[in-house]
Amino acid sequence: MSWAVRDSCFDKQLVTTNGNKYMLGNGYMGYRGTLEEFGKSELVAVTLAGLYDKAGEKWREPVNAPNGLWTKIVCNGQPLSVHEHEPSSHVQKLNIRSAIHHRSTEYGMTDGGTLTFTADRFVSQDNLHLLVSKCSIRSTQDCQIVIETGIDVDVWDINGPHLYGQKVQLQGDALLSSSTSGELNIPVVVAEKAVFNFGEQQLDEGTAIRRISFEARAGETYEWFKYVTVYTGLDVSGPESEAVKSVHAAETLGYDELLKAHRQLWEERWSLSDVMIEGDEDAQFALRYSIYQLLIIAPTASEKVSIPARGLSGQVYKGAVFWDTEMFMLPFFLHTDPKVARNLMMYRIHTLDGARRKAAEYGFLGAFYAWESQDTGDDACTLFNVNDVFTGRPMRTYFRDKQVHISGDVVHGIWKYVQFTGDESLLTSGGAEVIWECARFFYSYAYYNPVKERFEILDVTGPDEYHERVNNNAFTNALVKETLEIALRTAELLQDKYPEVYSQLSSVFSEGPFLTEFKAMLDRFYVPQPDPASLLIEQFDRYFTLEDVGLPELKYRVLNKNEYLGGGNGLATTTTILKQADVVLMLNLFKHSFTKEVKQANWEFYEPRTEHGSSLSPCIYALVAADIGSPDWGYPYFMRTATVDLTGESKQYVGDLYIGGTHPAANGGAWMAAVLGFTGLDYDGGTVHIKPSLPKHWQSVELPVTLRGDTFKLRISKDEVTVTTAADYSESLLFSVQGREGKSCAAGESLRLALTETTV
Ligand code: BGC
């Protein structure tokens, strides 16, 4: 079974898509899948997690560091690059098992010979500041070669420039580029060390480029190595000396040792996360690839950053963190790497003050989390997010002000983390305050309707962004209700187990609405319910009165392919067409509160009305289809989700604005659809429930799961589920299949549970 993504020719049209498809990264930095000779026009980017900068009045975005792996070959005076010289053969390959990028390019020369340039690179998982590459040249004829290599300081930015005072110096034989970010004056340093054992090296004063000239002999392979380190003032107080020290240490260890350590860590990561599907090679590869994309952006070493909506693939969407993290990516980490899950949730705790500022700005209490969150938690989302294609004017959108469900999403994530890991320290380290502050925010946002005698949530935008400023969006209301419940349960838990912490934390809330008010609001809180006859849940008040137009008809009305369908006068606004899963997402999130019939009726009603205009949408339809026992309905939605970054079939540009990049929420959604959907895995904090619903052609699925400190293997086939535990398994979990009574499994044993109902 292949672990490689591969292209066997060079296609100019695919440079941008391949930049995403061949991404490397380690959570500290992302390195786009570009070629060695590429520069800013090909969107080369070394995107740093958590370092943001604002240039003038343009929006803030993450900083791209100079590219220390830049390399270009000149042969007999002629520059060889895929742009300037069409290659006679070209391979670009990514090994997702060990996160290594490879390119091999053969150029035909005028005298009939060929020259082959190869380069392997990896972004070290062992030293998160390190990039490593091994290159080689081989020519069939004697020729004169110049290798130009060094640090390309002319970086690609969407809204830059961000780096000022660029200074290049030589420290011993390491090249050092230092600059400072414009807004916060944070030093950004790149050190580069190139190791050649041939040729004459020359350094042009003041530039960060070395020239290595030599006479290449026919048939001989010339190999060299590059070590590059990246440090910023956010990492250490002396980034220059640290970068130089670290690049020398890397050179001393050498390529093979560095690769060994990197590989070893990747083996360990896959041993905790690989999902094996028997009977479907395409799904197998797409799912592994989705997992790979999640692993390269996971913040393994920092709780100050989370995962942006485009991962570390550049500056699109301002490098901002959305609800995508809690609702679409967190489940993967909760089942495979709880430390990363903790870091993601700690990020929300660290940005609580930003959320408090946003609530106060709008005149509310508590914490209103940023729709687009960066380093401080202040909202990076602008009030005018979309340009009208007809007038060119910015359109007022209500993502920032009205997508209040974000605070409920954060609370949902924190509670899931505690439920999955049993690690209550998250609550005592700030999690409880986040939860209570979000509940206070909703309390101050809600309206009491004296006629209907209930609390309602008015004037919001739900997940479906095409219908802004609606009342009683079912999804939002369900999350507000959950937030209030979690706020009360958190108080009970702390009172019971950590009374001193409780009295200290809760004293802050003595002034305003707190538990009594939460309880009162919960007792009279309105969440839209299924209509008894049709079983349909109305997405928001009066949604059913909108024009029921049908997607083909709506598309027929489109005048410009880039026109925005939502907003004040968008085509979808007055119709029942929705951008992405909304009610169906709620049915997935609260799946135990609804019957199969309700889920099916709503799936059938809403799916034809869903544009899937967001990559967050199809996976939810796959999940609910599996849940209601119709996995084959769900399968195409799963595949669409799992292949989004392989096919590049998503919008790349709006006007001249690049909006492409990777899609981590879809990557997480693919994992959710396969594991929580098709294998039906559902942990409730005590028992692991398994209700398989495999697509027809899947013979089995096998995966490791980490819960409460234990890792075990699950194998789900057509007729049985096998649980295999490790020798040190703590025996704390129960395993239940198809709703039957839970069974325990001894350490180092296998438990086989027969499937009695058809699993489709
Ligand atoms: C979706 C949002 C999502 C954002 C970032 C938008 O297109 O509608 O739900 O959070 O993209 O992925």
Side-chain angles (χ1 to χ4, degrees):
M1 178 61 68
S2 167
W3 288 79
V5 189
R6 186 187 166 101
D7 272 70
S8 298
C9 63
F10 175 69
D11 182 348
K12 232 189 215 137
Q13 305 304 321
L14 293 180
V15 166
T16 303
T17 308
N18 284 353
N20 303 318
K21 182 160 126 183
Y22 290 96
M23 278 287 307
L24 293 174
N26 61 15
Y28 172 81
M29 60 183 152
Y31 193 98
R32 284 178 61 80
T34 45
L35 300 181
E36 281 60 27
E37 62 270 34
F38 285 177
K40 65 198 257 184
S41 355
E42 291 85 12
L43 315 190
V44 170
V46 186
T47 304
L48 303 178
L51 176 59
Y52 294 90
D53 185 68
K54 183 169 166 64
E57 283 315 298
K58 298 180 215 163
W59 68 60
R60 288 181 99 226
E61 61 187 13
V63 171
N64 286 336
N67 173 22
L69 292 181
W70 184 84
T71 301
K72 190 165 172 175
I73 311 296
V74 181
C75 175
N76 294 333
Q78 190 186 15
L80 293 183
S81 95
V82 285
H83 280 319
E84 282 149 324
H85 198 111
E86 197 181 325
S88 45
S89 77
H90 174 78
V91 171
Q92 183 170 12
K93 199 165 96 185
L94 174 68
N95 176 337
I96 58 171
R97 181 159 192 161
S98 35
I100 300 170
H101 179 271
H102 169 84
R103 70 82 68 92
S104 172
T105 311
E106 185 191 88
Y107 298 98
M109 297 193 293
T110 39
D111 55 11
T114 58
L115 181 141
T116 307
F117 171 47
T118 70
D120 286 345
R121 65 171 179 249
F122 59 93
V123 178
S124 172
Q125 192 59 43
D126 187 39
N127 172 356
L128 301 185
H129 299 272
L130 181 67
L131 297 157
V132 186
S133 90
K134 172 168 87 173
C135 305
S136 76
I137 274 185
R138 189 168 181 277
S139 160
T140 56
Q141 313 280 350
D142 288 354
C143 56
Q144 215 276 323
I145 299 281
V146 179
I147 300 167
E148 298 179 350
T149 189
I151 309 175
D152 183 4
V153 297
D154 191 14
V155 299
W156 166 53
D157 283 319
I158 294 181
N159 272 318
H162 299 299
L163 298 177
Y164 291 87
Q166 184 59 246
K167 191 171 82 195
V168 177
Q169 49 185 307
L170 205 54
Q171 294 248 334
D173 48 3
L175 273 171
L176 188 66
S177 133
S178 323
S179 49
T180 312
S181 70
E183 183 194 5
L184 301 172
N185 276 315
I186 308 287
V188 174
V189 173
V190 177
E192 183 255 19
K193 184 82 224 287
V195 180
F196 288 89
N197 57 10
F198 56 88
E200 290 243 327
Q201 214 178 123
Q202 184 201 332
L203 252 174
D204 292 349
E205 192 66 28
T207 77
I209 307 297
R210 317 164 183 268
R211 280 191 174 70
I212 295 90
S213 316
F214 64 105
E215 299 293 332
R217 281 200 301 276
E220 202 151 303
T221 302
Y222 298 86
E223 190 174 74
W224 68 97
F225 302 92
K226 270 175 77 95
Y227 307 98
V228 173
T229 52
V230 182
Y231 278 85
T232 78
L234 293 183
D235 307 323
V236 283
S237 55
E240 292 196 352
S241 54
E242 204 56 43
V244 173
K245 203 167 87 194
S246 174
V247 87
H248 283 306
E251 185 202 349
T252 309
L253 276 174
Y255 185 86
D256 291 342
E257 281 301 306
L258 295 170
L259 180 61
K260 200 164 127 197
H262 171 76
R263 272 212 166 109
Q264 169 81 30
L265 286 168
W266 269 92
E267 280 300 313
E268 283 166 26
R269 304 182 98 193
W270 280 114
S271 75
L272 295 173
S273 56
D274 188 25
V275 180
M276 285 187 284
I277 301 170
E278 199 192 338
D280 189 341
E281 292 205 4
D282 291 346
Q284 169 71 83
F285 187 74
L287 180 57
R288 271 197 181 135
Y289 181 78
S290 303
I291 296 173
Y292 168 81
Q293 285 286 358
L294 290 169
L295 291 175
I296 61 172
I297 50 180
T300 52
S302 172
E303 54 176 54
K304 294 282 178 64
V305 298
S306 181
I307 304 179
R310 289 288 184 264
L312 296 173
S313 64
Q315 296 156 320
V316 169
Y317 280 157
K318 312 177 185 95
V321 178
F322 292 62
W323 69 315
D324 304 30
T325 312
E326 280 76 14
M327 303 314 245
F328 294 81
M329 303 174 218
L330 185 69
F332 166 75
F333 294 109
L334 284 176
H335 290 84
T336 58
D337 193 347
K339 277 208 213 86
V340 169
R342 191 175 206 282
N343 285 344
L344 296 174
M345 296 328 300
M346 283 305 294
Y347 163 79
R348 293 300 193 179
I349 293 173
H350 289 302
T351 49
L352 173 60
D353 279 343
R356 284 183 171 127
R357 283 191 289 274
K358 180 174 167 189
E361 176 194 334
Y362 285 101
F364 297 111
L365 300 175
F368 181 5
Y369 271 86
W371 182 242
E372 299 184 8
S373 184
Q374 297 177 333
D375 46 350
T376 62
D378 291 287
D379 208 329
C381 187
T382 53
L383 299 183
F384 298 83
N385 248 26
V386 185
N387 277 345
D388 179 17
V389 288
F390 302 110
T391 62
R393 289 196 181 126
M395 292 162 75
R396 180 69 163 96
T397 45
Y398 291 88
F399 307 148
R400 183 190 204 269
D401 342 39
K402 298 296 171 188
Q403 269 193 81
V404 299
H405 66 79
I406 179 66
S407 286
D409 305 324
V410 170
V411 169
H412 181 85
I414 292 181
W415 194 250
K416 278 275 170 219
Y417 171 82
V418 175
Q419 189 190 7
F420 267 71
T421 59
D423 172 15
E424 291 160 356
S425 77
L426 189 79
L427 294 176
T428 54
S429 326
E433 276 149 294
V434 169
I435 292 168
W436 292 334
E437 287 288 43
C438 290
R440 270 156 53 87
F441 165 65
F442 286 133
Y443 182 81
S444 68
Y445 198 90
Y447 290 85
Y448 184 70
N449 183 326
V451 177
K452 295 184 173 154
E453 298 184 330
R454 65 190 192 192
F455 285 91
E456 302 185 340
I457 303 288
L458 308 181
D459 197 10
V460 300
T461 303
D464 162 25
E465 293 182 339
Y466 289 164
H467 295 95
E468 297 181 314
R469 311 199 66 165
V470 300
N471 295 336
N472 292 316
N473 165 247
F475 171 88
T476 305
N477 285 25
L479 271 172
V480 172
K481 176 167 180 268
E482 189 192 40
T483 302
L484 296 170
E485 285 163 352
I486 291 174
L488 295 170
R489 286 170 74 181
T490 302
E492 271 167 31
L493 191 150
L494 295 195
Q495 280 159 352
D496 185 30
K497 292 187 162 170
Y498 313 94
E500 277 168 30
V501 180
Y502 175 76
S503 51
Q504 191 218 329
L505 290 181
S506 60
S507 61
V508 182
F509 298 92
S510 59
E511 291 286 295
F514 195 42
L515 306 179
T516 315
E517 289 78 5
F518 299 164
K519 173 87 180 52
M521 178 168 158
L522 194 55
D523 286 346
R524 292 182 174 275
F525 189 67
Y526 170 61
V527 179
Q529 294 302 314
D531 173 78
S534 67
L535 303 184
L536 296 181
I537 299 170
E538 192 167 28
Q539 189 177 301
F540 50 82
D541 290 353
R542 298 180 55 75
Y543 167 85
F544 288 142
T545 65
L546 297 173
E547 187 194 2
D548 200 18
V549 63
L551 205 48
E553 167 61 20
L554 186 98
K555 293 217 160 140
Y556 178 72
R557 294 178 188 176
V558 166
L559 296 176
N560 178 315
K561 71 175 172 31
N562 287 341
E563 75 181 84
Y564 185 56
L565 302 181
N569 60 352
L571 286 176
T573 307
T574 52
T575 74
T576 52
I577 299 298
L578 40 145
K579 179 177 178 188
Q580 64 202 90
D582 195 310
V583 167
V584 175
L585 175 57
M586 180 189 78
L587 295 174
N588 173 56
L589 224 48
F590 303 105
K591 63 184 195 181
H592 300 298
S593 309
F594 298 96
T595 62
K596 177 181 167 181
E597 291 69 29
V598 166
K599 291 174 197 167
Q600 178 147 344
N602 284 279
W603 197 104
E604 288 181 14
F605 176 83
Y606 282 107
E607 201 293 322
R609 292 166 176 82
T610 306
E611 189 219 7
H612 298 296
S614 158
S615 64
L616 280 56
S617 188
C619 60
I620 300 303
Y621 283 90
L623 274 154
V624 175
D627 184 24
I628 58 181
S630 302
D632 294 314
W633 287 7
Y635 183 76
Y637 300 92
F638 158 74
M639 282 306 280
R640 182 164 161 189
T641 305
T643 54
V644 65
D645 289 327
L646 284 167
T647 59
E649 280 167 15
S650 60
K651 254 194 200 150
Q652 300 288 308
Y653 282 89
V654 169
D656 60 351
L657 181 68
Y658 176 62
I659 58 144
T662 55
H663 298 81
N667 306 144
W671 182 89
M672 287 200 293
V675 175
L676 309 184
F678 299 142
T679 77
L681 176 64
D682 181 17
Y683 177 57
D684 67 7
T687 301
V688 180
H689 300 271
I690 303 143
K691 191 185 89 174
S693 183
L694 301 185
K696 255 201 298 298
H697 56 300
W698 288 19
Q699 297 311 312
S700 70
V701 178
E702 198 174 318
L703 73 153
V705 181
T706 300
L707 289 173
R708 303 262 167 163
D710 280 316
T711 298
F712 55 89
K713 269 235 147 64
L714 273 185
R715 183 169 195 282
I716 293 103
S717 68
K718 293 279 183 198
D719 50 14
E720 71 172 11
V721 170
T722 315
V723 182
T724 308
T725 60
D728 58 354
Y729 170 63
S730 72
E731 304 187 16
S732 65
L733 302 163
L734 289 177
F735 297 90
S736 152
V737 157
Q738 292 175 325
R740 295 202 299 273
E741 199 191 329
K743 297 251 163 56
S744 57
C745 181
E749 301 273 317
S750 283
L751 173 69
R752 297 172 67 168
L753 301 162
L755 293 168
T756 48
E757 293 157 33
T758 349
T759 58
V760 195

